[in-house]
Amino acid sequence: MEKATTEEQKGFLKKLKENVDDHEEQMAVLGAAVRLGVVIWSGFIITLSYVELPMVKKSATAGDITFVASIFTGALATFGLSTGNGKKDKEQKPKA
C-alpha cells in the first residue's frame, strides 16, 4: 500500500511538472496571440484613418492617430520588426 501512494505521488508530481512546462508554452502562445491581435487592431485603425468609405462620412476634425501608430510600432517591435527604412541609421554612423 505504501508503494502505491509513493507511485501516485511521483505520478502527481511528474504530471504537475509536465503541466508547468505546458503552462509556460501555453502562456507563450497566448502572449503571441495577444500581440498579434494588437498589431491587427492598430493596423486596422490606422488604415481606417486613411481610407474613405462611400457610406461613412469623415468629420472635418479627423482623430489624431499618433497614439495608435505608437501602439502599432511598439507591437511590431515585440516581434523584432522595425517600421523605419534605415536611411537615418546609415547616415548617422561614423565612417571609419
Side-chain angles (χ1 to χ4, degrees):
M1 184 145 191
E2 190 173 311
K3 282 187 176 181
T5 56
T6 56
E7 287 178 15
E8 288 176 13
Q9 287 178 349
K10 287 181 182 178
F12 175 75
L13 292 176
K14 188 175 180 181
K15 287 180 183 179
L16 184 63
K17 193 171 189 177
E18 288 174 0
N19 287 340
V20 167
D21 293 338
D22 190 35
H23 178 72
E24 290 174 5
E25 184 178 321
Q26 290 173 356
M27 286 293 124
V29 170
L30 180 63
V34 168
R35 291 183 293 151
L36 186 61
V38 169
V39 167
I40 291 170
W41 169 81
S42 57
F44 179 72
I45 298 297
I46 292 170
T47 302
L48 278 181
S49 70
Y50 289 106
V51 174
E52 291 186 25
L53 299 174
M55 303 291 283
V56 179
K57 293 183 180 180
K58 285 190 177 184
S59 65
T61 58
D64 185 21
I65 62 163
T66 306
F67 176 71
V68 178
S70 68
I71 297 290
F72 181 72
T73 304
L76 281 179
T78 63
F79 287 110
L81 301 172
S82 175
T83 56
N85 59 8
K87 288 183 181 178
K88 291 181 181 178
D89 292 337
K90 291 178 184 175
E91 291 173 1
Q92 291 178 356
K93 289 184 181 179
K95 295 180 182 179

